[in-house]
Amino acid sequence: MAHHYAIVPAAGSGSRFGAEMPKQYLSLAGCPLIHHTLAALCRCPAIERVWVVLSPGDRYWPQYDWSALGAKLETVYCGGETRAQSVANGLAAAETAVADDDWVLVHDAARPCVSAAMLDALCRELADDAVGGLLAAPVADTLKRAGEGQRVQATLSRDGLWQAQTPQMFRYGVLRRSLAAFPDVTDEAGAIEAAGYAPRLVRADASNLKVTFPADLALAEMILKSRREDIAP
Ligand SMILES: Nc1ccn([C@@H]2O[C@H](COP(=O)(O)OP(=O)(O)OP(=O)(O)O)[C@@H](O)[C@H]2O)c(=O)n1
Ligand SMILES: C[C@](O)(CO)[C@H](O)COP(=O)(O)O
């Protein structure tokens, strides 16, 4: 029976958010944003261990008590210059515990609102999949390409377009080899695609947002409070 493990890239600086600290440590519904993210993964019965990948110079992590998250959590200070490098380094840190055919769920620290139902759907729908896949949501708005002076240059068809989210779930060995071969990707699925595979899109929704800009934090708080069970202990 294949096991499930999680890797959480959490070594970013949050430059687009523009806060005085990395956005993963900003207060959200009474505790650091990343606490909610890690709590959702640690609460998932299918996930056996969670590696959080921090920047080697992260001075914020030691300031908090993470004990409520339990024994599944492993902390590694091996974040890289890019998200892909952080993920690759996290996979390397987990190599003695994870077998080639085990499933790895890579989830952004900046997505605190992932629900138990979404995690269950991802693991269930991909359980027997030959490739793996990712949570995603169909594009709902009309898309415009900006030109000079932030003027509309073109309207793009949204037919068949989905917004990629995380977790992205692939077999450990294939994922490590694909990221090593194709490191210049913005998500794990991109490396898997470059290796010639077609990941499956598992439908989620906009509530699994990535906190990127300041306005996203209030949205995340509203989402968590509307669900109650996802508010970390
Ligand atoms: N070198 C990096 C860059 C990003 N991340 C992580 O990847 C996730 C998604 O990236 P993003 O939302 O872009 O976070 P930041 O890189 O921090 O934001 P920005 O691009 O605005 O600087 C975040 O949880 C972030 O911590 C990482 O582990 N290592
Ligand atoms: C992985 C991801 O969240 C899928 O949408 C996205 O690619 C992360 O991008 P970022 O620029 O690192 O936030």
Side-chain angles (χ1 to χ4, degrees):
M1 165 114 175
H3 302 272
H4 296 74
Y5 300 97
I7 299 282
V8 180
S13 62
S15 58
R16 285 171 287 178
F17 196 99
E20 71 286 353
M21 66 174 63
K23 63 188 179 183
Q24 54 269 37
Y25 293 105
L26 292 173
S27 179
L28 173 62
C31 56
L33 184 155
I34 191 173
H35 196 282
H36 296 280
T37 307
L38 295 173
L41 297 171
C42 291
R43 262 200 304 262
C44 178
I47 297 175
E48 296 182 35
R49 289 170 77 173
V50 178
W51 279 265
V52 59
V53 182
L54 305 173
S55 166
D58 187 322
R59 57 188 171 84
Y60 296 94
W61 181 266
Q63 295 176 27
Y64 299 94
D65 176 7
W66 307 100
S67 58
L69 295 172
K72 287 185 184 181
L73 187 63
E74 305 280 351
T75 306
V76 286
Y77 288 83
C78 59
E81 287 302 309
T82 66
R83 182 184 175 284
Q85 285 171 356
S86 295
V87 172
N89 294 349
L91 289 168
E95 71 177 352
T96 57
V98 184
D100 252 25
D101 280 349
D102 287 336
W103 289 111
V104 174
L105 289 78
V106 182
H107 185 56
D108 294 330
R111 290 186 190 269
C113 301
V114 64
S115 69
M118 290 174 191
L119 294 174
D120 292 347
L122 189 69
C123 293
R124 187 175 61 252
E125 287 193 34
L126 298 179
D128 301 318
D129 195 276
V131 173
L134 63 152
L135 289 182
V139 169
D141 299 321
T142 295
L143 298 173
K144 305 288 184 184
R145 179 178 299 286
E148 287 294 309
Q150 207 166 290
R151 293 278 176 188
V152 175
Q153 183 186 77
T155 295
L156 307 180
S157 167
R158 63 172 184 244
D159 292 349
L161 293 186
W162 292 54
Q163 285 179 275
Q165 300 178 353
T166 68
Q168 304 200 4
M169 180 174 145
F170 299 104
R171 302 281 185 180
Y172 178 79
V174 170
L175 180 55
R176 271 197 86 177
R177 290 189 292 275
S178 299
L179 279 172
F182 306 100
D184 299 327
V185 290
T186 57
D187 69 348
E188 292 66 58
I192 298 289
E193 294 154 41
Y197 304 100
R200 179 171 168 79
L201 295 160
V202 177
R203 186 162 186 152
D205 60 55
S207 68
N208 185 26
L209 84 166
K210 180 163 66 72
V211 174
T212 307
F213 303 103
D216 300 329
L217 196 63
L219 277 177
E221 180 139 8
M222 284 188 274
I223 291 164
L224 287 176
K225 288 190 171 175
S226 72
R227 291 211 202 116
R228 298 202 63 73
E229 85 277 2
D230 280 8
I231 291 186

